[in-house]
Amino acid sequence: MKVAFTSQGNSLDSQFDERFGRAMYFIIYDTDTNETKVLENMAGVESGHGAGISAAKKLVDAKVDAVVTGNCGPNAFYVLSENNIKIYLSNAKTVKEAIEDFKNKKLEIANSPTKGGHWR
Amino acid sequence: MTIAVASGKGGTGKTTIATNLAVIASEKYDRVTLLDCDVEEPNSHIFINGEKVNEEIVNVKIPEVDESLCTECGACSDFCQYNAIVSLKGKPVVFKEMCHSCGGCSLVCQPKAIHEVDHRIGVINFYKSGKISLIEGLLDVGSPLSPPLIGAVKKHENKEELNIIDAPPGTSCPVIEAIRDADYIILVTEPTPFGLNDLILAVEVSRKLNKRFAVAINRVGSGDDRVHKYCKKENIPIILEIPDDRKIAELYSNGKIILGNLPEYKKSFEEVLEKIGMVIQNEQ
C-alpha cells in the first residue's frame, strides 16, 4: 500500500509536518517495495483558501491508500474519506520516525476531523 | 456625501463616533443614513434606539451540479482558485463556504451541467429613529465571507444626502469593501503603542485608496503622545479628540450616546462635520 507522510522537507530525515493542507512536501512510502517518492505541495502552501482540499485532491490523484499527518480539518477529511483514504495521526519528530511508527502499527486512526475549519 | 468611520485596531470607538456623528448630523440635515457595515458584530442599533421597519435577506450565488449532464471532465475544479468545487470521482463536490460566487465554474462547464443557486449569508435590518435611517448588515453565524453582505448594505446608500459608514475593524477585505467608495474617512485610534501600530496600517490603506482622511483619537490621556507625534510628522489632521472620561465610558456601557447626555462634547462633533464638509466642498 502507498502511504503519504506530511513533511517539512524532501527527505526521510526531514522534520515531520503536523499540518496537512500546508505541509511543504508529501513523502509517499510504498510498504510493498520499501520505495519512497517525494511530492511537493507548493499549491497548498501558497493557496489563500482551501489548502486542505487541494492537498487532499493531490493525494487522491497520487492514488495513495493512507495519510499520516498531525491534524486534519473537516474539508480535507471529507475529501480523503470519500476516496477511501485512511488518516493516521502522528506527532513524530522526523518522517523516518513516523514511517517506523506506522510499520509497527503504533498510530491511531482519525475517525473525524481533528480541527475546525479555518473559515470559522 | 459619505463619511466612513474606520480603524486599524478594534475597540477604539468607531461605533461611538459613527453614532454620535449621525445624531449631530440629524439636527442639521433632513435625513441621515447610518450604514452599519461591521456585519460580524453590528452594534450601532444599541445606541440609535430606532424602530425596526424592514428586513431583507441577502443571498450569494453558489454552484449546483446536475449529475445527469456532468461528464466528470474536472474543468470546474481546475478553474476554481478557492477549491470550492472539487471533482474527484463522479459528481463534483461543492464546499459552499469556500465559494466566492464568481460564476467561473458554470462558464467553463462545456455540457452546461452547473447552474447557480441562492445561498443565504445574512440579513439587512432597517431601523428608523427620527431623521436617522439605520441600515445594519448582520452576517449569519458560520458564513465566512462578509464583503458580499457589506456590498449589499452599501447599495442602500443615499448618494444625494449624508451617509455615515460604521466600518469593521482591521485593514482586510471587509474594511476595503466598506470604505472604498467613501468621500472621507475618519480613522479612530487610541494613544497607545497598539493604537499607533494599527493606525499606521490603516493610514497606508487610506493612502492606497487615494482617500481624504483624518484621525480621531479616543481616550486621550490614557496613554502617551506617540499618536499625536506621528500625525504631526505625517501631516495628518487630527479631527477629533475625545478625552479619557469615565462619564463617557459609563454612558457607552449603558448603550447611550454621548450627545444629549454630555452636551459639553457637542461642539467638537459639530466641528468634525463642518471640517469634512469644507474639505469636500473645496474638492468640488
Side-chain angles (χ1 to χ4, degrees):
Chain A
M1 72 188 283
K2 283 159 79 180
V3 190
F5 292 80
T6 43
S7 171
Q8 295 184 27
N10 58 3
S11 77
L12 291 181
D13 295 320
S14 302
Q15 288 214 346
F16 179 73
D17 201 328
E18 290 197 12
R19 297 166 309 167
F20 174 71
R22 295 187 194 276
M24 288 295 261
Y25 295 91
F26 296 111
I27 308 257
I28 298 173
Y29 171 76
D30 192 325
T31 53
D32 304 323
T33 62
N34 258 341
E35 281 173 2
T36 52
K37 238 180 42 187
V38 178
L39 203 61
E40 54 80 32
N41 184 35
M42 232 33 232
V45 173
E46 288 179 351
S47 73
H49 297 263
I53 299 170
S54 89
K57 234 163 87 174
K58 210 177 192 100
L59 295 181
V60 171
D61 292 340
K63 298 192 165 46
V64 305
D65 304 290
V67 175
V68 177
T69 186
N71 282 296
C72 182
N75 291 347
F77 187 89
Y78 175 83
V79 173
L80 294 170
S81 334
E82 276 294 285
N83 290 278
N84 305 319
I85 297 173
K86 289 193 173 64
I87 302 152
Y88 292 89
L89 301 175
S90 166
N91 54 8
K93 291 278 173 290
T94 63
V95 175
K96 206 186 266 170
E97 219 177 284
I99 291 177
E100 284 310 307
D101 288 347
F102 179 81
K103 284 203 285 201
N104 297 327
K105 301 202 172 7
K106 279 186 181 169
L107 301 179
E108 64 167 310
I109 209 159
N111 294 314
S112 63
T114 62
K115 286 257 190 266
H118 294 292
W119 69 89
R120 289 201 175 95
Chain B
M1 165 165 98
T2 299
I3 302 169
V5 184
S7 78
K9 186 179 177 298
T12 52
K14 283 180 298 300
T15 301
T16 300
I17 288 174
T19 51
N20 280 284
L21 274 184
V23 168
I24 205 90
S26 71
E27 292 179 5
K28 219 173 117 174
Y29 298 91
D30 289 339
R31 229 183 76 159
V32 182
T33 304
L34 174 59
L35 301 139
D36 196 341
C37 291
D38 189 3
V39 300
E40 286 182 58
E41 197 60 65
N43 279 338
S44 287
H45 70 269
I46 297 172
F47 301 90
I48 305 288
N49 286 320
E51 186 195 342
K52 188 168 162 177
V53 288
N54 201 356
E55 76 170 44
E56 177 188 302
I57 288 170
V58 179
N59 297 308
V60 293
K61 297 284 183 205
I62 60 163
E64 195 169 70
V65 182
D66 182 341
E67 223 164 327
S68 64
L69 295 174
C70 176
T71 56
E72 296 170 30
C73 71
C76 55
S77 175
D78 293 341
F79 178 85
C80 184
Q81 296 299 298
Y82 293 102
N83 300 304
I85 186 161
V86 179
S87 164
L88 293 155
K89 49 169 196 200
K91 183 180 147 175
V93 178
V94 176
F95 291 96
K96 55 179 185 280
E97 71 282 346
M98 295 284 168
C99 178
H100 285 56
S101 309
C102 75
C105 53
S106 61
L107 292 175
V108 299
C109 177
Q110 287 293 343
K112 296 277 164 265
I114 298 175
H115 60 278
E116 294 187 303
V117 291
D118 278 338
H119 168 61
R120 180 188 149 137
I121 56 165
V123 290
I124 300 177
N125 293 316
F126 297 81
Y127 299 92
K128 197 103 188 79
S129 168
K131 291 183 188 169
I132 301 173
S133 299
L134 168 60
I135 296 160
E136 168 195 80
L138 181 60
L139 195 67
D140 284 345
V141 171
S143 277
L145 288 180
S146 59
L149 178 57
I150 292 169
V153 171
K154 279 170 60 200
K155 282 205 177 83
H156 297 280
E157 241 178 290
N158 193 325
K159 291 283 184 207
E160 305 305 305
E161 291 164 0
L162 176 68
N163 305 277
I164 295 167
I165 291 179
D166 188 0
T171 44
S172 62
C173 301
V175 180
I176 308 291
E177 182 62 37
I179 68 176
R180 67 201 286 182
D181 303 309
D183 299 296
Y184 200 96
I185 301 171
I186 299 173
L187 298 175
V188 188
T189 189
E190 58 187 30
T192 63
F194 298 107
L196 176 60
N197 180 76
D198 295 356
L199 172 67
I200 292 169
L201 298 175
V203 165
E204 270 177 52
V205 168
S206 307
R207 284 182 174 156
K208 266 265 190 300
L209 294 171
N210 281 323
K211 294 292 177 193
R212 287 269 185 188
F213 65 93
V215 165
I217 311 175
N218 192 9
R219 294 192 283 273
V220 172
S222 64
D224 48 42
D225 62 352
R226 65 183 76 212
V227 169
H228 291 83
K229 277 186 178 154
Y230 164 79
C231 290
K232 198 172 166 180
K233 184 171 82 94
E234 292 285 327
N235 276 322
I236 300 168
I238 296 173
I239 202 162
L240 176 69
E241 294 191 44
I242 303 174
D244 186 31
D245 182 340
R246 188 185 165 90
K247 290 197 295 263
I248 293 177
E250 282 174 8
L251 285 171
Y252 178 84
S253 62
N254 287 306
K256 292 197 172 99
I257 58 158
I258 301 172
L259 305 170
N261 294 294
L262 297 171
E264 63 265 39
Y265 289 112
K266 198 169 165 175
K267 198 164 160 1
S268 45
F269 277 93
E270 277 171 346
E271 280 172 4
V272 171
L273 283 182
E274 275 163 32
K275 284 177 192 162
I276 295 175
M278 281 192 301
V279 169
I280 290 173
Q281 255 169 4
N282 288 342
E283 275 189 346
Q284 291 159 347

